[in-house]
Amino acid sequence: MVVDAATLFAGPLAATILGDYGADVVKVEHPRRGDPSRTHGASKDGIGLWWKMLGRNKRAVTADLGSPEGSGLLKRLLAGADVLIENFRPGTLERWGLSPETLHELNPRLVIARVTGFGQYGPYARRPGFGTLAESMSGFAAVTGEPDGPPTLPPFGLADGVSALTCVNAVMMALRHRDRPGGDGHGQVIDLAIIEPLVTLLGPQPLVWDQLGQVQPRTGNRSVNNAPRNTYRTRDGRWVAISTSADSIAQRVMRLVGHPEVIDEPWFAAGATRAEHADLLDGYVGGWIAERDLDTVVAEFERVEAAVAPIYDVRDVFEDPQYRALDTITTVPDDDLGPLRMQNVLFRLSETPGSIRWTGRERGADNADVWGGLGVSADELAALREKGVV
């Protein structure tokens, strides 16, 4: 069992992914406020659409964990759980009598994933943390955008999503360590700071600064490591992106667009030196693409086995035959809104493929099932509801 006591995106999304692959996930929310993702972003008929995805495959219960009765309910739930995912500010669980030490006395096998903006210690630990701050502080925004423009933030929860995937990996590693042959069966505490995973994804930048004293600049859609690499507009007003990370692909592209002579230039032999001539290469490639419609551009690139992709918005994702073949956007029945089309599970496993069994439920929809299953009678549950505990 996975207990999701986190809010908004990184922690809850990690629990969603675990639930997609069969984990029994119990979502614990405050009885009045609930997870803010329920009302975040677009809604239909007053029903938050983000929650339908983020809350899928989770049983929904409520408990005011700041009250003695609510923290007591959580303890009863965690006594038989495998994983707790939480994202309260450092010190909050301790203040409620739910410290990792206390929880491990109750259940030594429990893996506790603590997902916060800045980690459990350090000068910023108690600051409120959001993905936007991680995208800013990690170095991501500094290298994103046009050379003469401002740093650019992503228009979606990038840092939260990366942190969610990181959290899933950490949980699985901790469970493997707990259950390894010859192990002591003890769960451990995961300290995941949202500001950290993006730093790793930025690649060699720390090494380049440490060893060469160089800071990567903003280069728009271009790369400092290869060229041509950009977005280009077709004759019919569509856009495509190409990449030439492999030297052989770069050669095929230049032959295709009618400029094989540049292949013999000494600077063409390596991606970094090609990037120094990006204006020239982009001119050749962009001019060729601008004279042709999207379908022709894609077909010609495929013919010579060069890498190209049309730039899609969400409408295109729904219609693309490859995404359709993979069932990347799948249809799920929903009690409130009828059939919903949303992202499918992340990957396909041959023996345990994963599935979306239900969409996000109403707050507290499973109180009777979950709390009742722990021995809380209907009368006790009614009294707790009257007190605002559930």
Side-chain angles (χ1 to χ4, degrees):
M1 179 192 293
V2 175
V3 177
D4 172 10
T7 55
L8 289 176
F9 308 120
L13 180 56
T16 300
I17 295 168
L18 293 168
D20 285 349
Y21 291 93
D24 176 16
V25 180
V26 178
K27 175 73 177 182
V28 181
E29 300 174 84
H30 191 278
R32 292 173 296 282
R33 295 189 294 270
D35 190 320
S37 64
R38 288 182 176 273
T39 56
H40 200 91
S43 64
K44 181 180 180 182
D45 300 334
I47 299 169
L49 297 178
W50 203 333
W51 169 252
K52 288 298 182 181
M53 178 265 184
L54 197 62
R56 71 191 193 191
N57 292 335
K58 299 179 183 181
R59 293 191 287 167
V61 302
T62 53
D64 179 358
L65 302 182
S67 68
E69 298 95 335
S71 64
L73 285 174
L74 185 65
K75 287 180 179 178
R76 293 170 72 170
L77 184 63
L78 293 176
D82 294 286
V83 179
L84 167 66
I85 301 175
E86 63 94 5
N87 70 337
F88 299 104
R89 290 197 204 182
T92 301
L93 283 186
E94 287 79 357
R95 189 172 70 249
W96 293 340
L98 297 168
S99 69
E101 294 78 12
T102 299
L103 296 179
H104 277 150
E105 289 179 6
L106 176 71
N107 178 1
R109 294 176 54 80
L110 183 66
V111 170
I112 303 171
R114 313 193 78 173
V115 184
T116 58
F118 301 99
Q120 294 296 312
Y121 55 89
Y124 303 161
R126 294 189 62 80
R127 290 183 182 179
F130 297 96
T132 298
L133 308 187
E135 291 145 9
S136 301
M137 293 178 62
S138 64
F140 172 85
V143 299
T144 305
E146 294 300 321
D148 56 351
T152 302
L153 296 167
F156 64 99
L158 175 64
D160 282 296
V162 172
S163 295
L165 294 170
T166 305
C167 183
V168 171
N169 276 321
V171 166
M172 298 306 295
M173 290 179 187
L175 290 172
R176 175 70 178 116
H177 180 268
R178 184 194 72 178
D179 298 334
R180 72 193 189 284
D184 60 7
H186 197 277
Q188 58 187 295
V189 179
I190 298 164
D191 178 6
L192 173 57
I194 295 176
I195 61 170
E196 290 188 297
L198 275 181
V199 176
T200 295
L201 264 63
L202 290 174
Q205 287 188 42
L207 283 164
V208 172
W209 166 250
D210 177 62
Q211 295 297 307
L212 303 176
Q214 297 175 3
V215 176
Q216 181 173 320
R218 288 189 290 282
T219 56
N221 290 321
R222 289 178 173 175
S223 169
V224 297
N225 299 312
N226 68 82
R229 190 263 198 185
N230 211 328
T231 60
Y232 309 90
R233 193 170 189 175
T234 64
R235 183 171 61 185
D236 51 348
R238 300 294 300 275
W239 290 87
V240 296
I242 72 169
S243 175
T244 57
S245 296
D247 295 340
S248 60
I249 298 294
Q251 294 173 16
R252 293 171 194 169
V253 169
M254 299 318 299
R255 290 193 184 100
L256 174 65
V257 303
H259 289 279
E261 73 279 2
V262 299
I263 298 172
D264 296 326
E265 295 288 344
W267 50 261
F268 196 86
T273 48
R274 288 200 305 272
E276 296 172 0
H277 296 78
D279 286 342
L280 175 69
L281 297 177
D282 274 348
Y284 290 153
V285 174
W288 185 89
I289 289 175
E291 295 174 352
R292 291 161 175 81
D293 292 343
L294 174 67
D295 290 345
T296 300
V297 170
V298 172
E300 285 296 293
F301 266 74
E302 289 184 350
R303 181 180 63 81
V304 301
E305 298 184 352
V308 68
I311 292 178
Y312 281 171
D313 62 24
V314 67
R315 295 168 296 185
D316 301 310
V317 173
F318 269 61
E319 298 302 323
D320 181 84
Q322 182 62 33
Y323 280 130
R324 284 188 169 185
L326 297 173
D327 198 27
T328 304
I329 302 296
T330 195
T331 301
V332 187
D334 178 73
D335 291 340
D336 299 313
L337 299 174
L340 296 179
R341 289 189 288 176
M342 66 173 68
Q343 305 95 317
N344 207 340
V345 299
L346 277 172
F347 44 83
R348 286 157 293 281
L349 297 173
S350 61
E351 302 301 324
T352 54
S355 65
I356 304 172
R357 301 180 296 284
W358 63 82
T359 58
R361 294 178 172 174
E362 289 293 320
R363 187 170 66 246
D366 298 287
N367 276 348
D369 175 48
V370 174
W371 299 137
L374 296 174
V376 179
S377 69
D379 289 343
E380 290 175 309
L381 195 60
L384 291 171
R385 188 178 300 111
E386 182 69 23
K387 292 183 65 175
V389 174
V390 301

